[in-house]
Each structure stands twice: as C-alpha cells, then as structure tokens.
Amino acid sequence: MREKGRTQLKVLIRRAAIRKRVQEVAREITKDFKGERVHLVGVLKGACIFLSDLVREIDLDTSLDFIAVSSYGKGKDSSGQVRVNKDLDSSIEGLNVILVEDILDTGLTLSYLRRILQQRRPRILKVAALLDKPSRRIIKDIEGDYVGFKIPNEFVVGYGLDYAERYRNLKDVCILSLPPE
Ligand code: IMP
Ligand code: MG
C-alpha cells in the first residue's frame, strides 16, 4: 500500500501472480496455434506491458503491430465513444490476429475494434485481455478468448493501466482510490 495525499493504491494482483498467469495464457496460445504464425495487435497504450511479456512467452512465429484508440479521455469514466488515434502499419488479411487489450470493461472499445478489424479479413481474430470486469459490460456478446484475471468492479492501475497517464509503471495491478472531490 502506498499513499499520496489521500490517493490510495492497494495491491490487487501481485507481480508473481501476473507473471505466472501470462505464462499460462501464452502456453494456451502456443498450443492453439501450433505450427502457425500469430500476429499480435496491441491496443496502445494500456496493453504495451502485457503484450511485451506475453509475446516473449509465446513459442511460435510471431509478428507485432499496434493500434491506438481513445475511449476514456483523461479520467475514469467512459465517454462511450471510440476513436482511432493510430492505425495499424500493415494489412492483417489472412493472418491469425490476436488483439491484445489491457482490460475489458464496458466492451465498447473491443466491439468497435472487432468490427473494424473483421472488415480487413483476417484468417482468425481472437482477443487476449489481461483483465476482465464482467460486471461492467454494456455490450453483452463481448468476451475475451484469453483472459488473465476476472476482477471486481474497481478502478485499477499498474502493469500498463493508467489513471490520467500515470501509474502505468507499477509492477502490480493496484486498486486506485481517489479522495472525494
Ligand atoms: P471499455 O471500452 O469500457 O471496455 O474500456 C476499455 C478501456 O478503458 C481499457 O482499454 C482501458 O484503457 C480503460 N479502462 C477500463 N477500466 C479501467 C480501469 O479499471 N483502469 C484503467 N483503465 C481502465
Ligand atoms: Mg487508459
């Protein structure tokens, strides 16, 4: 637990548990795509740390690309709108694409990304998410194919996840509580 003013960080998932689970997810992907190439598409910026740990545990031919979207702006609440800030560098047509997300929350971002990426005719489109907050889902048919941890409805930071661009460097996933405004 660390404190800054009355802002509090409480560890939810420790780094050792994250490492172990990332290895398990990577093993599952390696098994599912045995003998094939996978093209990982990281959703910037939140997925960058999860993706860099995950790809090093995958024992397959891999390639990487990134897409940047914004849905949350600077705060905690979803604007409900998704915008592409940086598109993919190359075509995904015919590829085994795994979209790598930090967290599935309302599902709005993922449902938008799935729609625009499917139109580009990948061979397969799967979703890997480090975290899943199922109780927050607005879009009902949205699920991760590879999910690290299901978590309760708390705002979390660390291991890539931010609050107003901060805390991405924390090694554990922590619950952030802000002082009342
Ligand atoms: P969704 O569109 O509501 O599913 O939200 C997806 C995006 O919102 C994620 O990729 C995160 O960037 C952000 N987000 C959702 N919940 C959290 C959280 O608890 N902490 C930090 N970012 C979050
Ligand atoms: Mg964010």
Side-chain angles (χ1 to χ4, degrees):
M1 167 108 71
R2 286 200 336 198
E3 282 194 50
K4 202 174 217 180
R6 281 150 69 211
T7 298
Q8 290 198 358
L9 290 168
K10 199 174 105 198
V11 174
L12 179 67
I13 311 170
R14 293 201 179 275
R15 61 201 78 176
I18 298 173
R19 192 181 313 125
K20 181 164 169 275
R21 187 69 190 122
V22 169
Q23 285 168 350
E24 287 169 2
V25 169
R27 233 175 276 137
E28 217 180 308
I29 292 172
T30 302
K31 185 167 83 56
D32 291 353
F33 291 93
K34 196 167 187 277
E36 295 177 54
R37 167 181 157 200
V38 289
H39 187 67
L40 303 185
V41 170
V43 183
L44 293 173
K45 295 170 243 177
C48 66
I49 294 180
F50 173 44
L51 180 128
S52 51
D53 283 347
L54 183 70
V55 69
R56 285 178 290 178
E57 299 289 342
I58 295 176
D59 190 15
L60 295 172
D61 188 8
T62 64
S63 48
L64 300 182
D65 205 344
F66 295 93
I67 193 165
V69 295
S70 49
S71 64
Y72 261 65
K74 290 199 169 104
K76 275 184 172 183
D77 295 316
S78 178
S79 63
Q81 284 181 332
V82 184
R83 202 181 64 189
V84 173
N85 298 326
K86 180 226 168 286
D87 205 341
L88 298 176
D89 287 339
S90 57
S91 165
I92 55 168
E93 191 171 342
L95 299 181
N96 298 316
V97 174
I98 302 180
L99 190 61
V100 183
E101 266 273 30
D102 53 357
I103 185 165
L104 297 181
D105 189 32
T106 61
L108 289 165
T109 309
L110 183 57
S111 109
Y112 174 81
L113 282 172
R114 268 229 303 234
R115 196 168 63 243
I116 66 163
L117 295 183
Q118 279 295 5
Q119 287 167 358
R120 302 178 190 187
R121 293 185 296 170
R123 178 175 170 272
I124 212 166
L125 180 60
K126 299 277 185 190
V127 174
L130 176 72
L131 304 173
D132 184 7
K133 272 194 241 180
S135 65
R136 290 259 306 165
R137 203 77 89 249
I138 293 173
I139 313 284
K140 293 299 174 206
D141 66 335
I142 286 286
E143 268 187 60
D145 299 288
Y146 306 98
V147 171
F149 301 91
K150 291 207 162 141
I151 62 166
N153 184 13
E154 301 276 7
F155 194 82
V156 290
V157 294
Y159 198 75
L161 290 108
D162 74 308
Y163 172 66
E165 297 303 328
R166 296 173 56 207
Y167 307 110
R168 293 193 197 274
N169 60 327
L170 301 182
K171 291 181 180 174
D172 307 306
V173 169
C174 300
I175 296 173
L176 177 76
S177 342
L178 294 170
E181 281 172 26

